[in-house]
Structures are given as C-alpha cells and as structure tokens.
Amino acid sequence: MADCPIGNMTGRELIVEFAQGCGDLDLDTATYSVFGSINTKQLDFTANTTDNTSDLSGGVTSNLVTTLSSEITVSGWADKSDTALTSNQLAITKYFINETMAGRQPSGWLHVYADGYGLEYYIYVNITQGPGLGGSTNDTLTFSMTFSATATGVKDVDAIQVSDVVAAE
C-alpha cells in the first residue's frame, strides 16, 4: 500500500493540551493533559481597539490596537474504555468546579500545537464555559469547553506565547 504525503494540514493534527497552574508555571516541565479525541477546535486571536477618529482622519474611522485577546473552544468525545482520556476529562471538570466553588479562577496553560507544521502556542487561560459533558446510551462521552486568555499576573510572563518551531519539509 502506498504511503503518499498529504500537503494539507487536517484538524486532527492540531493538538490541544491543558496544564493546571498559575501564570508562573514552568511550561517546559509542566504536565499537560490531552482532552480526548477533539473533533472540533477553534482558536481565535482578536485585537481590542479604541477609536482614535479625529478631524485628521479624513472621514475614515481610525482605530488603535490596544490589547490582544484569545479564545479557544474545543469539543469532542472519549470512549469509556479509554480511561486516560476519560479521566482527563473528568479531572478537568472537577478542577473547574472546585476552583470556581472555592472562589478561585479555574486557570491554567493551554499548549496548542501541530507537529511538523511550525505551529506552537502557549496560552494562559481561564476556563470560561463548560466543561460540558454528555452522552447517550452508547459508549461515547462527549464534551465541550471554552477557554479565554487572561493576564498571568507575573511580570515579564506573556499570557500568549508563540514558539519558534521549524516546520517539516
């Protein structure tokens, strides 16, 4: 059977992992947990702006970029026989509930990457929606959750970090 290279990047190659911790977490030694089989993921970077329109704008709105925000939403499934994936889902759910009920922020670092494509981000986030869990009478557990970038609260530690990775040729 031929093993032909594929020139396109598919969604399954984009990996999203989560590590509990504060803004000063050592990203190189942190323990990241996968979410299960993610079938949908969306990573958005949005510039927050302020209107800077004046008489000198020539009738065109003038905007200044002031800050950057990021949001990532993931959803997928985990088979109940795959205990590592399911237990990671349950651990993240418990973490979200426990931190929120204790009056703390359910925060941590997302590691978003695609091996071989020169794409790697670390994003300090709060879990802002979910984790939602569901399933029917079959063996599939479904989940979804949303994360929003937040300030690390640590001097010289950026909440959004882009790693320089060489893409595979």
Side-chain angles (χ1 to χ4, degrees):
M1 183 161 80
D3 185 16
C4 303
I6 299 173
N8 297 333
M9 181 177 170
T10 60
R12 76 179 64 140
E13 294 164 309
L14 184 64
I15 310 298
V16 181
E17 303 171 320
F18 180 75
Q20 298 176 16
C22 297
D24 59 356
L25 183 69
D26 183 348
L27 302 179
D28 293 327
T29 61
T31 301
Y32 293 91
S33 300
V34 296
F35 288 106
S37 180
I38 299 175
N39 58 11
T40 304
K41 51 207 145 230
Q42 181 68 40
L43 173 60
D44 294 308
F45 294 108
T46 304
N48 297 310
T49 61
T50 187
D51 187 332
N52 190 39
T53 306
S54 70
D55 294 345
L56 302 175
S57 301
V60 177
T61 302
S62 176
N63 289 301
L64 297 176
V65 173
T66 56
T67 57
L68 179 66
S69 66
S70 175
E71 183 174 89
I72 185 166
T73 301
V74 297
S75 64
W77 59 271
D79 188 282
K80 73 178 180 181
S81 64
D82 190 348
T83 57
L85 298 179
T86 304
S87 64
N88 287 342
Q89 266 314 113
L90 297 177
I92 292 169
T93 300
K94 285 176 65 177
Y95 175 71
F96 172 72
I97 292 169
N98 290 342
E99 291 299 291
T100 304
M101 295 301 288
R104 296 184 296 263
Q105 298 299 309
S107 58
W109 286 91
L110 288 180
H111 182 208
V112 181
Y113 64 98
D115 280 336
Y117 288 94
L119 170 72
E120 184 173 30
Y121 303 104
Y122 291 93
I123 305 169
Y124 185 64
V125 296
N126 277 331
I127 303 171
T128 56
Q129 182 181 17
L133 299 171
S136 60
T137 57
N138 63 17
D139 291 342
T140 303
L141 169 73
T142 59
F143 64 88
S144 64
M145 64 185 77
T146 301
F147 303 88
S148 293
T150 189
T152 64
V154 180
K155 183 179 169 75
D156 297 328
V157 178
D158 293 328
I160 300 172
Q161 301 179 24
V162 180
S163 295
D164 293 324
V165 179
V166 178
E169 304 213 6

